[in-house]
Amino acid sequence: MKNAHDLVAEAKAQVPEIPLEQAEEALRKADVLIDVREADEYLAGHIPGAIHMSRGVLEFKLSGAPALAARDLKIVLYCKTSGRAALAARSLQAMGYLDVQSLAGGFDAWSAAGKPVASPQAPTFD
């Protein structure tokens, strides 16, 4: 019987991972950057320019977004450490997306390297 780690390992064997050293260039070339973490994780901080689609609803949101229907889009996915992103990327490949990659090490590696992090600003009521 397979466990979660087995599934992630299989996905990572089939999905190109972008090394952190090449991440900024890959993000510039991407058509879309998707954060597949949960909403609270995204709101606590995310890679600038990322759109949020939790892994649990990713396929449904993509299916309902005509702007993301082209199967030749360059898509980069990330999560906290890269497991969920690899699984999500496999799912997008199964949907017919041709150019899907995940960020090695995920958001944790990105932020630990001192790369820019965006956070929504809470409104002020002065």
Side-chain angles (χ1 to χ4, degrees):
M1 178 189 284
K2 294 180 184 179
N3 62 33
H5 294 290
D6 296 331
L7 294 173
V8 169
E10 285 178 8
K12 286 186 173 201
Q14 298 175 9
V15 173
E17 279 195 307
I18 302 163
L20 185 61
E21 303 77 37
Q22 299 170 10
E24 291 179 279
E25 179 182 348
L27 298 185
R28 280 192 296 276
K29 292 179 178 179
D31 294 311
V32 62
L33 172 62
I34 302 175
D35 184 326
V36 298
R37 299 175 301 156
E38 296 301 316
D40 60 329
E41 293 174 290
Y42 178 83
L43 291 173
H46 55 273
I47 296 175
I51 60 173
H52 178 251
M53 289 188 199
S54 296
R55 180 173 170 255
V57 296
L58 178 67
E59 298 85 352
F60 299 104
K61 285 196 172 193
L62 281 173
S63 294
L68 301 175
R71 295 311 196 244
D72 62 347
L73 288 172
K74 289 181 184 357
I75 300 174
V76 175
L77 303 165
Y78 73 91
C79 62
K80 179 175 171 51
T81 60
S82 73
R84 287 177 282 178
L87 294 170
R90 278 297 296 137
S91 186
L92 295 189
Q93 288 173 336
M95 291 176 72
Y97 287 94
L98 303 171
D99 194 350
V100 182
Q101 300 177 19
S102 69
L103 178 61
F107 183 76
D108 282 0
W110 176 272
S111 60
K115 307 274 188 198
V117 173
S119 297
Q121 298 299 316
T124 58
F125 300 101
D126 295 335

